[in-house]
Amino acid sequence: VTSNSSLTPCVIGPQIAVRGTLVGEEDLIVEGRVEGGISLAGHLIVAEQGVVESDVEVVSIEVHGRVVGDIVASRSITIERSADVRGNVRAPRVIIRDGAAFH
């Protein structure tokens, strides 16, 4: 986990579902489910079991799980081999690992 500060990132646990807009300035790890917009001035990690069904606007993102929606990052987007991403992506740096599903 790359953190923008000395704070521990916020975690949405595997048994948590959030419906609504998330806005913040800290790093976030999604192990559960988020439905709604995400806007962070930080780093977002979607864990292998994590599901995000929303548009995402962040500094950087690592996707190991599933994202359905558009992703805009000011720094980088990394789509790992276990990921399933369905939507448009836009960032100065986009990395799609072998084996990742991207539509």
Side-chain angles (χ1 to χ4, degrees):
V1 175
T2 304
S3 179
N4 294 335
S5 67
S6 61
L7 299 174
T8 302
C10 179
V11 177
I12 296 175
Q15 301 301 315
I16 302 292
V18 176
R19 290 179 182 88
T21 302
L22 293 176
V23 178
E25 296 184 11
E26 295 181 29
D27 296 344
L28 176 66
I29 300 172
V30 176
E31 297 174 346
R33 182 178 193 90
V34 175
E35 298 174 7
I38 297 176
S39 179
L40 296 177
H43 182 69
L44 174 63
I45 296 174
V46 180
E48 266 191 60
Q49 301 305 314
V51 176
V52 173
E53 292 187 354
S54 68
D55 291 340
V56 175
E57 187 174 334
V58 294
V59 172
S60 59
I61 181 171
E62 289 174 42
V63 182
H64 299 268
R66 180 176 170 94
V67 176
V68 178
D70 295 342
I71 302 171
V72 177
S74 60
R75 187 177 304 147
S76 66
I77 298 170
T78 303
I79 302 172
E80 299 293 347
R81 61 181 41 112
S82 58
D84 181 9
V85 175
R86 298 174 187 272
N88 299 310
V89 297
R90 186 176 62 201
R93 183 174 181 196
V94 177
I95 300 165
I96 302 174
R97 305 276 189 218
D98 288 343
F102 174 65
H103 304 281

